[in-house]
Amino acid sequence: MRQFQVRLRSFQDVQAFVTLAASQNFPITVGSGDYRVSATSFMGMFTLDYAHPLLAQADCSDEQWADFSQKAASFLEV
């Protein structure tokens, strides 16, 4: 399980992140505190507060993470 922070600043960012998450063959969740949603759910993603970075989790292998993190680099909070 990988944990990382994402920063989504616009509707287009959310749309691009959901599309990217949906193209992966492993689950990704995003949230803050105890509230978590599937990163593949537009409706769920739009219920989140984007004022701060969000905590995300991906249940993936090292190889899958390397590929995903490269594609998601513009959203990752370092």
Side-chain angles (χ1 to χ4, degrees), residues 5-16:
Q5 289 190 342
V6 294
R7 166 94 49 193
L8 304 171
R9 294 179 171 90
S10 67
F11 172 81
Q12 290 80 11
D13 282 356
V14 174
Q15 188 174 24

Side-chain angles (χ1 to χ4, degrees), residues 18-73:
V18 168
T19 300
L20 176 60
S23 72
Q24 306 307 303
N25 61 354
F26 53 87
I28 302 170
T29 59
V30 180
S32 59
D34 292 334
Y35 185 68
R36 309 210 50 79
V37 299
S38 171
T40 62
S41 168
F42 280 109
M43 295 293 282
M45 290 292 289
F46 283 114
T47 65
L48 299 172
D49 177 9
Y50 296 103
H52 305 285
L54 299 167
L55 180 63
Q57 294 179 335
D59 190 9
C60 60
S61 69
D62 290 341
E63 295 82 22
Q64 290 171 317
W65 172 251
D67 181 59
F68 174 75
S69 62
Q70 183 179 12
K71 293 176 182 173

